[in-house]
Amino acid sequence: MIMQTIIKKKSPPLFLIDSLLKQKHSISIYSGAQPDALPAEMIELNLMESTLILDIHSSGAEIKDYLYNGSLNIDIEIIKGTPPTEREGYSLSNTPATVLETDANLCRVECLLPESLFAYDKRGAVRIPFVLGMNCRARIEVFTHYLSITGKVKNLSVGGCLLELQLADSAALDINQKIPGIYLEFPNGDTFISEGIIRHIRSFGNHGYTATGIEFTNLSPKQSETLFYMVTESEREIAYLTGMSGHEITKSPLFIPGSSEKMLLLKEMQEREKRAQQSPMEKGIMEIAHQLQIGLMTIKTKKTFPAQKFYDCADALLFLLSNDRKALLYALSFIRDESPWVRHSINVASRFADIILSHNPHFPELREMVLGLLLHNMGKALLISEKLPSLDISLTNEQRSLLKEHVKVILDKFDELNWKPGSVCRGIIENANERLDGSGYPSGKMHTQTSPVIKLISVIKIIDKLSYRRDRLPSRIPLDIYRIVNEEQKTYERKWLIYYMQLYGIYPIGSMVKYSAGFLAWVIDIDSLGQPNEVRVVKDLRYPEANINCLISGHDLTQIGRLENVVDPKDYDIRVKKL
C-alpha cells in the first residue's frame, strides 16, 4: 500500500503529526480495558480534511473492543538515527474514528485529527504534551526512603503528569497507589516536588516502556504557583516549536539546558551510540522479556490473566531456539539488566528447553513446561511492597522468608483470576524450587518425590542464580559455580551438572570474557573443546570511552591476547542501553 499525504497549511497539531509520521515510526491502538495494543499502519494523512486513515491489524469484531463512544486511542512511537539511538512517543486520546471497511484480519478506519495540541484531564485541566524534543526528567520515590525510579515526562497539567517509565521498574507500581515523592527537573535545573497517586498504567510502544498517569496531591499554595508557571512555560515551548500563530513567541527558559543537563545529554548519547543495531534474535528475546512484564502489569492493573500472551512467549522462545540455538544463547546476554524475575525465568526456560531438545526433539510436554518456567517466578514480582520494595536489593531474613511465599502467591492469583493451568505447567510452578535433600520449598520434597525434570531444573536454576550478583554476593565464574554445585551432591543431581558442563563449557556462549591485552568481548561461539572461537569485542580497557563493536574469530583471536576468564559486565559498567 502506497502512503499518501494531502497537503494544506498545517495547524500546530497537524504540523506535529505530519512531522512525526515522516520519520521512522510505529503506530498502535490501545484501550484501557484491553491487555494488548493493536498494530496499525498509516495509509493516508489528509491535511486538508484533518484526517488520518489507518489499517489496523484486527478483525472488525475485535476493533469494537477498542472503540469507545466512536473514538480510538492512538500511540505513535518515533525511532531516530541509523543505527537507532533515540526514540520519542506521542499519544492521541479519544480520537473520533469511523470504520470504513473490514475483513478477517484487517480493519480500515478514518480518524479525525484534533484541532488543538492540548487535551484535558478528567478534572478539566489542560494537558501539555512534551514532544519535538521537549525534555523533563522525572523521579518517583515509590516507597519512602527505599525505592526510586526514573523516567521522563510525557505530558503535564496543573492536576498531574503522564510519565514514561521502564517496564522493568513498573512492577512496583499499582493503580491508586500513593506516591510519597514525585520530582520533576527541567533542562535549566528548575524542579517541582509533590506527593501523588497513580491513576493509570499501561504499556507504551515496542521498546519496553509504560505510560503512567499520576495525580498531584496535597499541593501547598507555593507548589500550585510553581506548577502553574511550569505548565504555562511548557505551553509556551510547544507554541515556539510548532510555530503557533498569534504573536511572536520565544523559547521558554525552562527548556534551555544548563551545564549539568548538557553533560547528561552528551553522556546518554554516547551510551546509546554504543548500542549496536540489534539482530532479529536479540529483538526477539527482548520482546519476550517485555511481554512477560506487560503480562504482569495486566494482572495487576486490569485484574485479568492474559494466558494467550504467556503462551505466545513460550512459543516464541521455542521458535527462536529451534531457529538458531547459538544465536539465542548469545541473545540471552541482552536481558541481563531486566527485572531479576524476568531474567531468571527466561534464562532457566531457555537452557531447560535446549537440554530437553538435545535429548528429544519432539518432547510432547515441552511447551507446558516452558510456560511453567516463565511463570514460576512471577509471584515474586507480585510480592513487591513496602516490606519488599525491590527484588534487586540486599534482603533481610524476613524478606527472604517472604519471597518463599511466591509460589503460593502466583497460584492464588490464578484462582483469583479464574485461570487454571494444565497439570504439567502447574507441576513445574509448584516444584521448580524443590531439592534432593528436602531443603527446597514450598513442600520440602525429597529426591524420591521429585521427577528427573525437576532435578534438571534445580541444577539449571542454581547455576543461573550464582551467575549474577545477588543479596550482597558477587557473581561467580562458571568454573567456580560448577565446583560449588558439585560439592552439594546431596542437594543437586550430579548427572545433570555433568551434562550441563559438557554442553555449555566454562566459557558459555553469551558470557563476557577478558583478554590479556585489555579487551572485553562477548562469547558468540565455542569450539568442541569449549574454547571461544568467535567473540564480539566491545571494550578496550586502555581506551574505555571508545566505542568498539568488532567480530573476531579463529586465529585472529591471538591479536587480543590470551584468554583470561569470564567477567561480570557490571564491573566495567557495561549495560544494555534502551532507546
Side-chain angles (χ1 to χ4, degrees):
M1 187 67 65
I2 298 175
M3 233 171 22
Q4 182 180 0
T5 303
I6 301 173
I7 303 173
K8 74 167 183 177
K9 179 175 171 55
K10 302 172 189 174
S11 65
L14 295 183
F15 169 84
L16 171 62
I17 294 166
D18 184 38
S19 65
L20 292 175
L21 294 178
K22 282 180 176 176
Q23 303 176 66
K24 181 180 179 182
H25 65 271
S26 60
I27 303 174
S28 54
I29 309 301
Y30 69 91
S31 165
Q34 301 300 318
D36 292 314
L38 301 176
E41 179 183 357
M42 181 180 93
I43 301 303
E44 177 184 289
L45 176 61
N46 187 327
L47 300 180
M48 293 289 292
E49 302 294 334
S50 297
T51 58
L52 172 65
I53 296 179
L54 298 174
D55 273 352
I56 302 172
H57 297 273
S58 164
S59 66
E62 188 179 9
I63 197 64
K64 293 177 181 177
D65 295 329
Y66 291 79
L67 273 167
Y68 181 73
N69 290 336
S71 297
L72 287 175
N73 297 317
I74 304 170
D75 281 337
I76 303 173
E77 190 175 33
I78 306 302
I79 307 301
K80 302 177 182 179
T82 306
T85 58
E86 197 173 352
R87 56 178 292 283
E88 183 177 321
Y90 180 61
S91 300
L92 291 165
S93 301
N94 302 317
T95 306
T98 303
V99 177
L100 300 179
E101 56 183 281
T102 63
D103 60 27
N105 302 305
L106 207 63
C107 181
R108 178 162 293 183
V109 299
E110 182 180 68
C111 304
L112 182 62
L113 297 174
E115 296 180 357
S116 171
L117 284 170
F118 311 126
Y120 294 87
D121 62 26
K122 291 181 178 179
R123 294 165 296 281
V126 63
R127 296 196 307 247
I128 312 299
F130 279 45
V131 290
L132 300 175
M134 290 173 67
N135 183 42
C136 179
R137 300 179 186 277
R139 180 169 64 86
I140 302 177
E141 187 179 21
V142 182
F143 305 116
T144 305
H145 307 311
Y146 275 104
L147 177 64
S148 289
I149 58 180
T150 59
K152 292 188 175 182
V153 175
K154 280 180 60 66
N155 69 45
L156 181 66
S157 76
V158 294
C161 60
L162 185 68
L163 301 184
E164 184 179 84
L165 307 172
Q166 289 201 30
L167 259 175
D169 295 329
S170 300
L173 306 179
D174 207 348
I175 306 297
N176 297 324
Q177 180 176 345
K178 292 183 178 179
I179 301 297
I182 305 160
Y183 304 81
L184 307 184
E185 183 176 355
F186 285 82
N188 73 334
D190 283 9
T191 59
F192 172 76
I193 304 172
S194 169
E195 297 175 26
I197 185 167
I198 295 175
R199 291 306 185 191
H200 57 84
I201 311 171
R202 66 176 180 85
S203 61
F204 180 86
N206 301 300
H207 294 86
Y209 290 90
T210 67
T212 301
I214 301 179
E215 177 187 349
F216 299 133
T217 58
N218 301 324
L219 294 178
S220 68
K222 179 63 175 175
Q223 285 174 303
S224 296
E225 180 183 341
T226 301
L227 181 57
F228 181 78
Y229 165 74
M230 290 175 168
V231 171
T232 302
E233 287 299 305
S234 299
E235 184 176 359
R236 171 182 168 183
E237 180 70 10
I238 197 169
Y240 167 77
L241 292 172
T242 57
M244 286 184 181
S245 59
H247 57 276
E248 186 175 344
I249 300 173
T250 58
K251 185 173 181 65
S252 167
L254 275 184
F255 293 90
I256 299 174
S259 57
S260 177
E261 177 69 11
K262 287 178 180 178
M263 290 179 64
L264 282 172
L265 290 172
L266 178 61
K267 182 178 179 181
E268 288 174 356
M269 179 58 71
Q270 290 172 340
E271 290 297 333
R272 285 195 296 264
E273 286 175 351
K274 292 179 184 178
R275 176 188 181 273
Q277 178 74 52
Q278 286 184 337
S279 70
M281 184 66 76
E282 291 152 13
K283 290 179 181 176
I285 205 70
M286 289 295 288
E287 178 65 11
I288 293 171
H290 293 162
Q291 290 302 317
L292 286 177
Q293 292 170 91
I294 292 171
L296 170 68
M297 186 192 311
T298 302
I299 288 171
K300 293 180 67 174
T301 63
K302 301 186 189 298
K303 310 304 179 187
T304 60
F305 189 82
Q308 188 57 52
K309 180 181 291 293
F310 295 127
Y311 270 111
D312 288 346
C313 288
D315 291 338
L317 184 60
L318 290 172
F319 172 78
L320 293 176
L321 183 62
S322 63
N323 191 49
D324 189 337
R325 65 173 292 270
K326 289 184 177 180
L328 171 67
L329 294 174
Y330 170 66
L332 292 176
S333 66
F334 282 79
I335 60 168
R336 63 187 182 276
D337 292 337
E338 295 297 312
S339 296
W341 74 269
V342 172
R343 178 191 67 214
H344 182 66
S345 297
I346 294 177
N347 282 346
V348 173
S350 299
R351 295 195 184 276
F352 171 78
D354 186 38
I355 291 172
I356 292 296
L357 290 174
S358 71
H359 281 75
N360 182 356
H362 306 289
F363 195 78
E365 298 173 332
L366 184 57
R367 183 182 190 234
E368 287 289 317
M369 290 179 173
V370 168
L371 176 65
L373 288 172
L374 292 177
L375 293 175
H376 87 281
N377 260 343
M378 190 173 286
K380 291 182 178 180
L382 292 171
L383 281 165
I384 293 177
S385 64
E386 288 198 67
K387 289 184 178 179
L388 183 67
S390 172
L391 301 178
D392 203 15
I393 59 173
S394 297
L395 302 176
T396 65
N397 290 333
E398 181 182 0
Q399 289 168 335
R400 291 190 190 95
S401 297
L402 180 63
L403 267 183
K404 290 188 176 182
E405 297 294 317
H406 75 88
V407 176
K408 181 178 184 302
V409 166
I410 191 62
L411 294 177
D412 287 348
K413 185 60 71 173
F414 294 159
D415 292 338
E416 178 189 334
L417 302 180
N418 298 313
W419 183 69
K420 187 176 180 180
S423 59
V424 173
C425 173
R426 186 182 183 98
I428 295 294
I429 295 170
E430 288 181 336
N431 296 296
N433 298 297
E434 300 291 357
R435 297 178 179 176
L436 300 180
D437 59 357
S439 63
Y441 66 89
S443 302
K445 294 180 179 179
M446 301 295 291
H447 68 96
T448 54
Q449 300 171 287
T450 55
S451 68
V453 161
I454 295 300
K455 292 170 184 175
L456 167 60
I457 290 171
S458 181
V459 169
I460 299 172
K461 279 172 62 66
I462 187 60
I463 291 174
D464 186 71
K465 184 178 179 181
L466 294 173
S467 298
Y468 294 89
R469 297 183 185 186
R470 58 187 177 87
D471 202 9
R472 299 193 185 95
L473 298 175
S475 61
R476 303 277 192 157
I477 64 173
L479 196 58
D480 288 346
I481 293 171
Y482 298 153
R483 189 191 70 252
I484 291 169
V485 178
N486 185 57
E487 291 172 353
E488 298 288 338
Q489 291 186 31
K490 292 182 179 180
T491 306
Y492 305 103
E493 189 155 289
R494 191 167 183 267
K495 176 185 75 173
W496 287 122
L497 171 63
I498 292 172
Y499 188 85
Y500 189 103
M501 292 168 58
Q502 291 172 339
L503 187 61
Y504 300 114
I506 60 174
Y507 304 107
I509 293 172
S511 59
M512 174 162 277
V513 291
K514 182 175 180 292
Y515 286 86
S516 59
F519 291 95
L520 300 180
W522 294 104
V523 177
I524 293 180
D525 198 3
I526 56 177
D527 60 23
S528 59
L529 299 177
Q531 296 292 310
N533 61 6
E534 184 177 11
V535 302
R536 183 181 298 278
V537 178
V538 294
K539 188 178 282 287
D540 181 347
L541 295 176
R542 297 169 298 178
Y543 309 100
E545 298 304 317
N547 294 339
I548 305 177
N549 182 25
C550 179
L551 282 175
I552 299 181
S553 60
H555 296 297
D556 292 338
L557 288 170
T558 57
Q559 298 174 13
I560 56 176
R562 173 179 48 84
L563 178 62
E564 293 187 341
N565 219 328
V566 173
V567 295
D568 187 341
K570 287 189 175 182
D571 287 341
Y572 300 92
D573 197 31
I574 296 176
R575 300 178 182 274
V576 178
K577 298 297 176 183
K578 292 188 177 181
L579 287 174

